[in-house]
Amino acid sequence: MMAMSIRPIIIHPDPRLKKVCAPVPVITDELRRLADDMLETMYDAPGIGLAAPQVGVLKRLVVMDCVKEEGAAPRPMVLFNPEILWASEETNTYEEGCLSIPDQYADVERPAEVKVRWLDRDGKVQEEHFTGLWATCVQHEIDHLNGKLFIDYLKPLKRQMITRKMIKLKREKARA
Ligand code: NI
């Protein structure tokens, strides 16, 4: 087995975070390796979800693990070409964050439950009904594949404020 590696996470604003990503036609070893790297990167950050465009790969792939109970077994999930088949009318509001928008959080309202279909790392079709944090996370990550960020749900003023902070952060990082 090849060693996994942590990949740099792209910080907003960046044109790669605004692109609609391409479906994955065949799951190759290279893509499995990318998924493993993304999980490693996500756990290291730490975060509960990561989408391929956040590491600069414009393909429809997300990883997530929303297990947060202390001592519970991790559940690393790899989702290629995830699709929302059904969303509940009932909504849920979570304070969301994003590894591409560090240290910024805001309430986002989304369907409380979703049914999602995807291909797993072996190319097998999977379906699951997600609730709670998992439902929010999978929708947030699928949004990334469509070039959409959680701040796009906020009022323009708040979004611009966060974007300005990120521009400043990137400038500081570039100087360091
Ligand atoms: Ni995100």
Side-chain angles (χ1 to χ4, degrees):
M1 199 188 129
M2 274 194 286
M4 291 189 274
S5 58
I6 291 164
R7 302 202 182 196
I9 296 173
I10 291 170
I11 304 299
H12 164 75
D14 188 293
R16 290 168 288 182
L17 297 174
K18 304 301 291 175
K19 296 274 196 288
V20 176
C21 298
V24 172
V26 176
I27 296 159
T28 58
D29 283 345
E30 192 189 338
L31 284 168
R32 273 187 276 270
R33 156 125 207 196
L34 169 65
D36 290 342
D37 284 355
M38 284 170 57
L39 278 167
E40 175 105 338
T41 303
M42 178 190 83
Y43 285 125
D44 175 72
I48 59 170
L50 188 68
Q54 293 181 276
V55 293
V57 179
L58 302 181
K59 296 200 167 125
R60 301 189 82 80
L61 162 62
V62 308
V63 298
M64 58 178 190
D65 184 349
C66 300
V67 173
K68 52 179 182 175
E69 298 79 22
E70 196 76 38
R75 191 191 176 203
M77 297 191 74
V78 171
L79 294 78
F80 289 99
N81 303 336
E83 275 179 86
I84 295 174
L85 302 177
W86 170 87
S88 65
E89 266 174 53
E90 190 202 334
T91 61
N92 216 340
T93 300
Y94 263 101
E95 191 180 53
E96 296 191 19
C98 181
L99 294 176
S100 292
I101 310 173
D103 301 322
Q104 303 298 317
Y105 302 91
D107 281 349
V108 177
E109 187 182 12
R110 299 181 186 271
E113 301 184 13
V114 285
K115 193 174 165 185
V116 179
R117 180 192 289 156
W118 71 94
L119 297 176
D120 68 15
R121 51 179 300 131
D122 301 314
K124 264 181 63 186
V125 179
Q126 302 284 347
E127 264 182 38
E128 189 163 326
H129 186 125
F130 291 103
T131 62
L133 182 58
W134 288 90
T136 291
C137 184
V138 77
Q139 292 175 80
H140 174 121
E141 299 312 328
I142 291 172
D143 271 353
H144 273 298
L145 306 182
N146 296 319
K148 191 163 184 178
L149 303 171
F150 83 91
I151 56 170
D152 293 328
Y153 293 93
L154 309 180
K155 294 205 171 74
L157 206 63
K158 171 101 179 164
R159 183 167 61 240
Q160 285 155 16
M161 199 185 74
I162 290 175
T163 299
R164 274 199 300 272
K165 279 187 190 163
M166 292 301 106
I167 291 169
K168 192 162 167 259
L169 175 76
K170 286 170 77 163
R171 212 181 283 142
E172 282 163 6
K173 273 191 168 177
R175 244 188 250 130

